[in-house]
Amino acid sequence: MPPMTGAIALFQVFDMPNAIAFYCDILGFEIYRHSPFVETAEGRFFHWAWLRNGPVELMLNTAFDANERPPAPDAARWSGHRDVSLSLGCADVDAVYAELVAKGLEMSPPRTSPHGPRELSVHDPDGYELCFRS
């Protein structure tokens, strides 16, 4: 098998505009590519996006087709996302914490993990954990 050259997580999201706002406006990702916009009962958005922040890449995909999204997330389905954690390397976890708190996120401060690195955890709007490590 030829060597692998990378990996990109794909997260299923309930509300794409809400997810994009979190990842782009709060975490500083940029949209690299996305599927065509659709006009739906839920609003105007795209179903799939490829995001980048430096060398970190992430893909988002809507969990429901156009006009099929329920009015609210099913708690049982979305609670399973608490098992997923994406580790993100960063130079200064404390600076990330200060910036995210300044942007209005409520979270516990960074801690030093038992195995060494400084860590800061935050959950996205769909319940996926993002763990910043330095």
Side-chain angles (χ1 to χ4, degrees), residues 15 17 37-47 66-67 69:
D15 181 318
F37 278 93
V38 294
E39 299 284 343
T40 73
E42 299 93 5
R44 184 174 191 267
F45 59 91
F46 38 81
H47 282 287
N67 303 314
R69 188 177 80 195

Side-chain angles (χ1 to χ4, degrees), residues 15-26 31 46 49 51 60:
D15 181 318
M16 182 64 79
N18 193 33
I20 291 294
F22 177 81
Y23 282 99
C24 294
D25 299 342
I26 303 293
I31 299 170
F46 38 81
L51 309 178
L60 305 175

